[in-house]
Amino acid sequence: MWADNADGQEREPRAGQAPRGDGIRRRATIHDVAQLAGVSRQTVSRAVNDKGEIDPATKERVLEVARLLDYRPSRFARGLVRKGAVTAGLVLPDLMNPFFPEVAAGVLEAAEERGWQVVVWDSRTDENRELQALDKFSHQADAVVGYFKNPDDVLAQHLGGVPTVVLERGPHQTRFGAVGIDAAAGVAQGIAHLVRAGHRRIGMLDGDRIDAPGPRREAFLAAVRQHGLPVDSSWVAPSPEHSVAGGEAAMAQLLDARPELTAVFGFNDLIAVGAMRTARRRGLRVPDDLAVLGFDGLALGELVEPALTTLHIDKRRLGRLAVEQVARLSTGQEPLTGAEAWVIPQLVVRASA
């Protein structure tokens, strides 16, 4: 699981963030405003919705607390959403990547069970397109789920208090609701499998920027160091494109830097398939000369030759958990945390490693 902070210490919430007893930050609710202002939820509702029958001084006190906590009532809180009339916005970074349609399927299934409708936006990994989606959804959606490159403060400015769930961030990594992937637990399984097979020189093809290591690279580095294996920056090659072509280019770079390596871990399955293609062009046999491990568990992993060993993520469950988080946030409940808010990758051993 993720530590609260890099130094492992919990910190006080910033202004505009409601604290919990366990130190986890979440979006302020009507309950928080009522408690801090010393009034009932009904009084908060009257104040923020400019209803009558409320003392002016009380109204001003409630509004000041709401500003302090950055509380903005959603359509749920204002009672504008009829049962079965909820619209959720889903922001995905790349619908051409087969990983994300599977996540979307989980969101759609869970939303349909609740009678909700879902509007999908492809941000194309573009931060400006992402903000366009948030501006639109802040007025037209009752809740937002998605993958976001922008930091929390920017998201909050554009969302206007709409209940929000961020995908692939741990509950301690965002002020919003979250559903995370426990990369550390998954990668530890994969590296242990490679080590058991006799590999001591293992590299990685990373989909994150070299100057901005993400959870999968951090998990890889921790796992290889735990086994006492050699590792430094030369054992990691960047693949800015999360694609087969990106994996091909990154694998060529890694083999040039570390021709002695005998196994490689790909940031995702597409990159891992690209690694196998480059290996074959270099005259290397997979897995005899080079073992290849992927991450994501895409269906295509069973179709390539040799079939790809991978760390499988239950992508539908990821999407379904996100909808559950939205439902909780929208009704003022505490979001899921701990193991309930995480998806743990499972090692699937096939022929490539």
Side-chain angles (χ1 to χ4, degrees):
M1 300 296 179
W2 299 105
D4 288 346
N5 294 288
D7 57 8
Q9 301 297 312
E10 295 181 355
R11 295 173 184 166
E12 292 298 317
R14 293 175 295 172
Q17 294 178 333
R20 284 180 49 181
D22 54 11
I24 297 172
R25 301 182 183 111
R26 59 173 171 81
R27 192 177 65 87
T29 70
I30 193 171
H31 306 279
D32 301 314
V33 178
Q35 183 176 15
L36 190 57
V39 299
S40 69
R41 291 170 52 196
Q42 291 77 10
T43 299
V44 174
S45 179
R46 292 191 189 100
V48 298
N49 292 301
D50 200 23
K51 299 287 183 66
E53 303 178 1
I54 181 173
D55 177 72
T58 301
K59 178 180 179 180
E60 181 58 33
R61 183 171 80 253
V62 170
L63 292 178
E64 179 60 31
V65 170
R67 283 190 291 269
L68 175 66
L69 296 181
D70 194 24
Y71 169 73
R72 305 178 197 178
S74 66
R75 281 168 33 110
F76 286 96
R78 296 197 304 266
L80 298 179
V81 179
R82 303 184 312 276
K83 185 176 182 180
V86 174
T87 296
L90 174 60
V91 181
L92 298 173
D94 182 8
L95 284 174
M96 297 298 291
N97 184 326
F99 179 91
F100 297 109
E102 289 196 53
V103 176
V107 172
L108 292 168
E109 288 170 0
E112 183 179 1
E113 292 169 4
R114 290 171 167 79
W116 299 1
Q117 62 180 353
V118 178
V119 178
V120 180
W121 181 285
D122 185 351
S123 69
R124 303 173 195 163
T125 66
D126 182 294
E127 293 183 20
N128 289 326
R129 279 187 56 82
E130 181 180 295
L131 295 180
Q132 291 173 21
L134 298 181
D135 289 337
K136 182 179 291 292
F137 287 149
S138 68
H139 296 94
Q140 299 180 6
D142 308 300
V144 175
V145 173
Y147 288 83
F148 303 109
K149 295 172 69 68
N150 285 285
D152 280 3
D153 290 346
V154 175
L155 299 183
Q157 291 172 9
H158 288 261
L159 284 165
V162 174
T164 301
V165 173
V166 180
L167 290 167
E168 293 200 40
R169 290 193 206 172
H172 294 81
Q173 296 173 304
T174 177
R175 63 186 287 186
F176 301 103
V179 179
I181 292 176
D182 193 344
V187 174
Q189 297 175 55
I191 299 303
H193 170 71
L194 295 175
V195 171
R196 284 193 299 269
H199 296 285
R200 296 294 182 270
R201 298 184 296 277
I202 305 172
M204 179 184 179
L205 308 179
D206 191 13
D208 290 317
R209 299 198 322 266
I210 288 296
D211 62 342
R216 299 185 192 187
R217 192 199 313 172
E218 291 177 344
F220 166 76
L221 295 174
V224 293
R225 286 169 179 151
Q226 182 179 5
H227 290 281
L229 306 184
V231 65
D232 58 32
S233 60
S234 66
W235 293 90
V236 179
S239 177
E241 293 184 14
H242 294 185
S243 63
V244 173
E248 290 178 298
M251 188 72 244
Q253 179 180 335
L254 185 59
L255 284 172
D256 289 342
R258 287 291 180 180
E260 71 272 27
L261 91 165
T262 64
V264 66
F265 164 55
F267 177 90
N268 66 14
D269 285 354
L270 296 178
I271 289 172
V273 169
M276 291 197 293
R277 289 167 62 93
T278 292
R280 283 196 294 269
R281 282 198 295 269
R282 294 285 183 100
L284 300 175
R285 297 166 299 166
V286 176
D288 297 336
D289 301 317
L290 181 73
V292 179
L293 171 68
F295 193 109
D296 282 352
L298 301 181
L300 68 82
E302 300 179 79
L303 306 177
V304 297
E305 183 61 37
L308 181 65
T309 294
T310 187
L311 296 164
H312 178 269
I313 297 168
D314 189 340
K315 295 165 280 297
R316 272 183 159 79
R317 181 168 181 264
L318 188 69
R320 294 182 68 87
L321 280 175
V323 173
E324 173 64 23
Q325 290 283 55
V326 166
R328 286 171 171 265
L329 291 172
S330 300
T331 55
Q333 300 179 66
E334 297 292 341
L336 297 171
T337 57
E340 293 180 313
W342 291 86
V343 175
I344 300 176
Q346 299 299 318
L347 177 66
V348 177
V349 178
R350 300 194 184 107
S352 73

